[in-house]
Amino acid sequence: MANCYRSMTPNDHAMIAARAPIATGTLVALIGPAGSGKTQFTHGVPSHEVICLDALRAMVSGDPGDQDATAEAVRLQNILIDARLTRSQTLYLDSTNVEVAVRARLVERARRQERPLLAIVFTTPLDICLRRNSERPTNRRVPPDVLR
């Protein structure tokens, strides 16, 4: 069994975590840089359980890469998080969540609703993130120095 784990990529470990039983009403925070595989990972869960910050930016401004729409998109995200947690509905939060302050606010939201929180950290190698980022449409690319 140990040999099997040594040959697995970090995202393989994340996929195993996704198949593990998750308590109903859990806030599952996906954590990782752009291009790490967070959105691809969500394709394995029911779409109504996914709150994607890029999709909310698109709802606000028509462009998922419009960083100027982030504040409004985050307000919508927080409303949706609270609504799902209040109803004990599982949700997967698809945004980078790499900043400590952002994660602290997620912990507080889950605690306030007395709901469990699970973090799935994507440790995809930088060269893969950079390649995936370069393959994105221009409006969705993150500056390479931000990924570094």
Side-chain angles (χ1 to χ4, degrees):
M1 186 79 147
N3 290 336
C4 168
Y5 283 104
R6 277 193 218 121
S7 66
M8 296 172 69
T9 68
N11 283 339
D12 291 331
H13 291 287
M15 294 308 236
I16 288 171
R19 291 185 183 100
I22 294 175
T24 301
T26 298
L27 166 52
V28 181
L30 306 181
I31 301 170
S36 62
K38 298 177 305 296
T39 299
Q40 184 66 35
F41 173 85
T42 66
H43 295 170
V45 300
S47 61
H48 67 275
E49 293 183 355
V50 177
I51 299 174
C52 175
L53 189 58
D54 289 344
L56 295 174
R57 279 192 203 99
M59 291 179 75
V60 168
S61 71
D63 179 356
D66 181 358
Q67 298 301 306
D68 291 335
T70 299
E72 292 160 305
V74 168
R75 282 194 289 279
L76 289 174
Q77 172 186 274
N78 291 338
I79 290 168
L80 293 169
I81 290 170
D82 289 343
R84 290 199 60 85
L85 292 177
T86 297
R87 289 164 182 75
S88 297
Q89 297 295 308
T90 301
L91 68 107
Y92 291 77
L93 186 58
D94 179 7
S95 64
T96 59
N97 300 309
V98 294
E99 296 176 17
V100 172
V102 169
R103 292 192 307 270
R105 287 190 294 272
L106 293 175
V107 169
E108 177 54 34
R109 289 191 120 70
R111 282 185 180 157
R112 194 171 43 239
Q113 298 291 338
E114 299 181 349
R115 302 305 318 148
L117 174 72
L118 171 67
I120 300 178
V121 179
F122 291 76
T123 57
T124 307
L126 177 61
D127 61 322
I128 293 174
C129 292
L130 289 167
R131 179 181 50 78
R132 289 175 179 168
N133 187 55
S134 72
E135 295 168 352
R136 290 178 166 186
T138 305
N139 67 324
R140 298 279 316 282
R141 288 185 193 147
V142 174
D145 60 309
V146 172
L147 291 175
R148 290 184 157 81

